[in-house]
Amino acid sequence: MTRRVPVVEKITKANDRLADANRALLAQHGLASLNLMSSPGAGKTTLVEKTVAGLTGRYRLGVVEGDMVTSLDADRAAAAGAVSVQINTGGSCHLDAGMVGDALAQLPLGEIDLLFVENVGNLICPASFDLGTEAKVVMASVPEGDDKPFKYPTMYRGVDVLLLNKVDLIPHVSFDLDRFRQGVEALNEDLTVLPLSCQTGEGLEAWFDWIAGRIERARAAS
Ligand code: MG
Ligand code: ZN
């Protein structure tokens, strides 16, 4: 049993070195970059599609899609107008920095303004693997219930912005927005919470503004 901790530390350290390399490469190109995490079915790929469509003409997006199998999500991102790369993780339930580094080598980094990494749908281990992106985004959705911050504290503590998707369903399901917000505040007091609906388009402008701020900041820093 005592051998387990060193092995985990070794994996994490190797990942952190590769994440630092990704971070340096992204910074060199003045790129904003987001690691988008959520449970399966929260609406990550639909958000990617809406974001690509909403920012077309203003900014160019590159998308890295992580899934265990298939290229369905990368195909959707490409159809929406992004340059996209699919990573199939095989059996792994999260992306790691090495996989993202391989994807970066396939993207025209000089021609894009924002890199969107859609992680594998999972609220647990993606929180432990730094990918080298400059921001982490967690997406929750109304049908999952208002107790998610209480059940997945690590995920909610380590992120820069929280998207609450499918708010158009609040009248139809039992979801207490105040309870949800209290759970978030207890873990991450200053976290920006953006309620939205990819279905109706409500709240998407605020999300686009948040992204535009990150893009301008990344440009100014390079
Ligand atoms: Mg997806
Ligand atoms: Zn995993």
Side-chain angles (χ1 to χ4, degrees):
M1 288 302 280
T2 52
R3 292 177 65 90
R4 289 187 61 193
V5 170
V7 170
V8 169
E9 266 178 15
K10 216 168 159 183
I11 291 169
T12 310
K13 275 188 183 152
N15 183 77
D16 286 350
R17 270 197 301 275
L18 294 169
D20 287 342
N22 292 347
R23 199 166 359 256
L25 183 64
L26 293 166
Q28 188 191 319
H29 287 89
L31 278 184
S33 52
L34 311 175
N35 175 9
L36 175 61
M37 297 172 281
S38 80
S39 61
K44 294 187 297 306
T45 310
T46 305
L47 179 80
V48 169
E49 289 175 326
K50 298 284 178 187
T51 305
V52 172
L55 295 178
T56 294
R58 285 165 75 192
Y59 300 112
R60 296 154 303 174
L61 269 66
V63 177
V64 174
E65 290 286 351
D67 274 300
M68 300 220 290
V69 290
T70 80
S71 65
L72 293 171
D73 288 358
D75 296 344
R76 285 172 63 187
V83 196
S84 73
V85 176
Q86 181 78 47
I87 299 175
N88 284 138
T89 62
S92 179
C93 49
H94 58 268
L95 289 178
D96 65 35
M99 297 173 192
V100 172
D102 291 345
L104 292 182
Q106 298 178 52
L107 284 167
L109 299 181
E111 293 166 25
I112 58 177
D113 303 300
L114 173 77
L115 178 76
F116 222 136
V117 181
E118 181 185 332
N119 217 311
V120 182
N122 175 355
L123 284 174
I124 306 166
C125 40
S128 308
F129 286 83
D130 182 11
L131 302 181
T133 60
E134 46 102 30
K136 292 179 189 159
V137 182
V138 67
M139 178 186 244
S141 70
V142 163
E144 293 169 62
D146 51 30
D147 59 352
K148 285 300 164 290
F150 300 94
K151 295 176 100 169
Y152 300 98
T154 312
M155 179 59 82
Y156 280 82
R157 264 193 204 110
V159 297
D160 301 286
V161 65
L162 165 66
L163 308 181
L164 177 62
N165 191 23
K166 310 188 190 182
V167 289
D168 53 307
L169 296 180
I170 288 181
H172 309 288
V173 296
S174 105
F175 184 94
D176 182 340
L177 187 56
D178 289 336
R179 183 175 184 236
F180 181 82
R181 282 187 185 276
Q182 281 160 17
V184 173
E185 271 166 30
L187 296 165
N188 195 334
E189 212 181 348
D190 302 322
L191 186 60
T192 302
V193 180
L194 300 176
L196 54 85
S197 166
C198 289
Q199 196 64 40
T200 65
E202 172 185 356
L204 284 177
E205 279 305 323
W207 164 238
F208 298 158
D209 288 346
W210 188 90
I211 289 183
R214 299 302 294 211
I215 291 173
E216 298 308 329
R217 212 172 87 167
R219 274 185 187 163
S222 76

